[in-house]
Amino acid sequence: MADRTKGGRGGAAGAEGGAAGAGGAPPRQRESAPRAVAARVLARVWESDAFASAALDAELRRAPALDPRDVGLATELVYGVLRAQGALEARIAELAAKGRWTTDPLVRAHMLMGAYSLCFLDRVPPFAAVSEAVDGAQASGGPRVGAFANAVLRKLATAVEAGGRPPLAAAVVASAPGWLRGALRRSLGRAAAEAFLSAGPVPPPTGLCLAPGEDRDAWLEALRAAAPSASFEAGRVSPRAIVGRGAGDLRRLPGFGAAWIGQEEGAQALALALGARPGERVLDACAGRGNKSWLLSRAVLPGGAVDAADLYPAKLSQLRAALGAPPASSESAGAEGDALVGGALPGAGGGGLARAAAFVRETYAVDWTVGAGDVPEGYDRVLVDAPCSGIGTLRRRPEIALGREADDLARLADLQVAIARRAATRARDGGRLVFAVCSVLREECEAVAARLAAPAEDDLGVRLEPAPFDAEIARELAGGGDAFRLLPHVHGTDGYFAAMFVVRR
């Protein structure tokens, strides 16, 4: 912190007590709007296990007066604190005589945001970082908490000025749970594990997926004209992808729901890796709300059909419904780059999901671990995008690392094998199955693929033979092999794994 401005609360070098005198709290002030937004988001993540991106989207909609710079600051504080939380808490613990500041989530948020600003935000003067954090802590916890925050953060400002700012990448790596660092090193190697954990940009760009036949260059031009303050670029992996930053609500852009939907680029690659062709019958076995079904349904035209199955009937209802109004959920369109199809285009005569539902022939609520329910046999291709740890999405959902444990991996791997094996019974002899997860951990990737290829321990009457991908995009990613991994620091997408099998009956 070479050019620290002295001022505010008596400068960073003062002793405990703050500007109001030894042991006294600083005058109570109004907390800054972007920090108040970020604090509420962090509190929701810690208290309610909310997705940070969805909670942030909801809070920003409640604060329409925030200018783009304040929106950017709130966003960086949320993602930065969650990614570097462990390192920030350790730094504060070195300076704080008491740990009670962690019991109030709003106070905790303001303390960590103050520490993050001091350590990593060179555009925020130290006195301002301390002042705003103290205001927020005092507003949430009262004068004594404000005095405590003032003393601790001033000490931190002095320490950072004396020793320099630590590298953010190192803090992010150090903040990952030990079990996760170990699992990533076993899966990727030490250097790649650290590159994965610290990969940017954060948050990642929003993905748009074009329907077959749409001209990507033409849509890039149209989107840039419609949102000149945003940036739009062609994707690096998916030939259907456009990646955007600063685009705001996707539903307000031309073409949404008809020519394209919101879908992360790596997720597009998984659907395309199935290699669905015109005239084929395809099963999306873990369809969720239907984004991959939307893409697959267009790949099988003319003459083909896509059916969708999922454990949760509510998700299938969303897929089936003709949503002419914008989705009500804060976790839907435009929030995370994996938006639902929905909302009507001007003059288009209906919402995007109505279009998607017209191409999804049937939907089935099914628990694959119990049985196949009413799902028929004979599909040419089956996509199993299985439930997983979600570790591949850490850039987008950094809170995932806080809620997972090492023991989860074995349980999830057993679940993935059970789902894939049962879904395979719905394929015809010689049909193809893609197993995919949004994880990069060996326990959920290569280890599960090996179990699927091994002699079966059940009586389902199918075996899965690893086979090279027959879709061009997947052949390139897999180098002609039968599996590939996508990585944020290599491909610019979220992290994924996919493996191809031929089903034998």
Side-chain angles (χ1 to χ4, degrees), residues 44 107 160 268 340 433 487:
R44 283 189 60 191
V107 171
V160 171
Q268 298 175 36
L340 286 175
L433 179 144
L487 296 167

Side-chain angles (χ1 to χ4, degrees), residues 117-503:
S117 300
L118 290 168
C119 291
F120 306 117
L121 291 186
D122 55 5
R123 70 178 182 270
V124 178
F127 79 87
V130 173
S131 177
E132 293 185 351
V134 170
D135 289 340
Q138 180 169 312
S140 301
R144 294 185 64 182
V145 170
F148 169 80
N150 183 42
V152 172
L153 293 175
R154 285 169 59 198
K155 288 180 182 179
L156 178 58
T158 300
V160 171
E161 182 182 31
R165 286 192 173 92
L168 177 57
V172 171
V173 172
S175 295
W179 73 264
L180 177 56
R181 294 198 302 272
L184 285 168
R185 288 166 182 163
R186 292 191 300 272
S187 302
L188 307 177
R190 180 178 293 272
E194 294 182 359
F196 171 84
L197 285 170
S198 59
V202 176
T206 297
L208 282 61
C209 179
L210 294 170
E214 298 291 343
D215 186 322
R216 182 159 66 172
D217 289 338
W219 275 109
L220 282 168
E221 183 177 347
L223 292 167
R224 288 165 179 164
S229 62
S231 67
F232 296 95
E233 303 294 337
R236 294 165 49 189
V237 174
S238 167
R240 307 274 180 82
I242 291 175
V243 292
R245 295 192 69 85
D249 189 340
L250 296 184
R251 294 166 295 188
R252 298 178 181 177
L253 295 176
F256 174 77
W260 55 268
I261 62 170
Q263 186 178 43
E264 196 274 329
E265 184 179 6
Q268 298 175 36
L270 296 188
L272 294 172
L274 186 62
R277 299 172 181 176
E280 290 186 327
R281 295 177 61 208
V282 172
L283 173 65
D284 188 355
C286 303
R289 297 181 179 92
N291 280 335
K292 294 182 184 69
S293 298
W294 183 91
L295 184 53
L296 293 170
S297 69
R298 281 142 178 80
V300 300
L301 296 177
V306 171
D307 294 340
D310 199 81
L311 176 63
Y312 300 103
K315 291 183 179 180
L316 294 173
S317 295
Q318 289 185 341
L319 189 152
R320 288 193 304 266
L323 295 180
S329 170
S330 65
E331 297 186 24
S332 57
E336 299 178 32
D338 195 20
L340 286 175
V341 188
L345 290 171
L353 254 180
R355 294 172 177 267
F359 293 111
V360 174
R361 183 181 60 180
E362 297 287 347
T363 60
Y364 301 95
V366 57
D367 183 348
W368 292 110
T369 65
V370 175
D374 296 326
V375 183
E377 298 180 352
Y379 290 99
D380 299 295
R381 296 178 191 260
V382 177
L383 175 62
V384 179
D385 185 7
C388 68
S389 66
I391 293 301
T393 67
L394 278 182
R395 286 189 311 167
R396 195 176 306 278
R397 293 169 175 162
E399 68 280 357
I400 284 178
L402 307 177
R404 291 292 184 192
E405 301 289 345
D407 293 345
D408 292 337
L409 299 182
R411 175 183 58 81
L412 287 166
D414 289 344
L415 176 64
Q416 292 153 9
V417 170
I419 291 173
R421 289 278 306 156
R422 185 77 65 173
T425 67
R426 304 299 93 184
R428 64 171 174 82
D429 182 42
R432 287 179 172 259
L433 179 144
V434 166
F435 165 76
V437 284
C438 55
S439 176
V440 300
L441 301 181
R442 184 178 64 189
E443 291 87 342
E444 298 181 277
C445 300
E446 290 89 351
V448 170
R451 289 174 63 182
L452 291 175
E457 299 179 357
D458 53 44
D459 57 357
L460 294 177
V462 295
R463 69 180 189 275
L464 295 171
E465 298 179 352
F469 287 95
D470 59 352
E472 181 179 358
I473 179 177
R475 282 199 303 268
E476 293 178 359
L477 290 169
D482 55 38
F484 66 83
R485 185 186 265 105
L486 294 175
L487 296 167
H489 58 286
V490 176
H491 304 97
T493 67
D494 286 352
Y496 296 95
F497 174 84
M500 171 67 84
F501 299 90
V502 170
V503 179

